[in-house]
Amino acid sequence: LPLTINSPGVYKLKRNLWVQNGDAVTITTDGVTLDLDGHTVSTRTAHTGRGIFVNGATGVRVINGRVSGFAMNVVVMNSVNVNVENLQIIGGGFQPGLNGGGPSEVGILILNSRNGMIRDNNISSVNLGIFVRGGEATGNRIFDNILVGGAIPANNLLGICYNPASGEGDAGPRGDLIYNNHIARFGFAIAVSAGS
């Protein structure tokens, strides 16, 4: 690692993978299934980098494993029809602001992406569980996830949050469907900005 997947296909991990710091796995092409097959993608430098980063891709699945310790554990950006399923995402329970402001750990970030499915994930001990941002984000389904904050209540900000993207005005995500999630130990279970 770091690893970039830029050819379509099915990829299955055969062992645990880690990086010293920074990003671990980046997916930049359409038609990829990344099956962690029960293995872990992690970092040696807590609350830095992105664990799995889907960037500008369509028809991607990330499934069946563990992602742990990154500032952004799973990021889906400028993408369409991305499924994130059956992941265990484990944070360190760090206080917010360690990265110069804002959250130190996010479970899943969806940025200006549409038609995604976030389901059956178990997310724990992060500042923000699922963070959806940007006026281009729409038509996503977020369901059957378990989101539980860490041991220190002050570090657990938001279970699911909807906001505009940084520097893009007040327009936030619209038209998503959120249901059947179990959210506990966060300051707010679900927070939605005025423009969302």
Side-chain angles (χ1 to χ4, degrees):
L1 292 176
L3 170 67
T4 298
I5 297 174
N6 54 19
S7 295
V10 177
Y11 297 81
K12 182 179 281 192
L13 293 190
K14 297 297 184 184
R15 60 182 173 87
N16 296 335
L17 300 175
W18 59 272
V19 289
Q20 187 62 41
N21 56 41
D23 298 345
V25 180
T26 301
I27 299 171
T28 60
T29 192
D30 302 345
V32 168
T33 293
L34 175 60
D35 184 352
L36 304 186
D37 196 31
H39 294 97
T40 299
V41 175
S42 62
T43 178
R44 304 284 184 178
T45 308
H47 58 82
T48 63
R50 296 169 289 208
I52 298 172
F53 178 32
V54 181
N55 185 13
T58 298
V60 171
R61 296 178 70 217
V62 179
I63 59 174
N64 299 333
R66 179 181 295 152
V67 185
S68 180
F70 296 90
M72 305 281 177
N73 287 284
V74 177
V75 177
V76 179
M77 184 170 80
N78 299 323
S79 296
V80 179
N81 198 353
V82 174
N83 293 2
V84 179
E85 306 173 60
N86 296 310
L87 295 185
Q88 199 175 28
I89 297 174
I90 303 168
F94 295 103
Q95 69 185 40
L98 295 178
N99 299 330
S104 300
E105 296 177 295
V106 173
I108 300 172
L109 171 66
I110 308 297
L111 178 60
N112 282 325
S113 296
R114 63 187 192 277
N115 197 39
M117 187 168 66
I118 312 300
R119 65 177 246 180
D120 290 321
N121 300 290
N122 189 334
I123 302 170
S124 63
S125 299
V126 295
N127 305 140
L128 291 178
I130 299 172
F131 196 12
V132 185
R133 302 190 72 180
E136 297 299 315
T138 187
N140 299 294
R141 281 198 307 154
I142 300 171
F143 63 102
D144 290 344
N145 299 286
I146 300 172
L147 304 99
V148 179
I152 302 172
N155 295 346
N156 309 327
L157 303 177
L158 304 165
I160 298 174
C161 180
Y162 276 73
N163 269 346
S166 181
E168 294 185 6
D170 295 332
R174 294 176 176 269
D176 283 6
L177 182 59
I178 305 168
Y179 63 96
N180 236 31
N181 297 287
H182 180 92
I183 305 171
R185 292 189 64 85
F186 285 98
F188 292 92
I190 300 174
V192 180
S193 71
S196 298

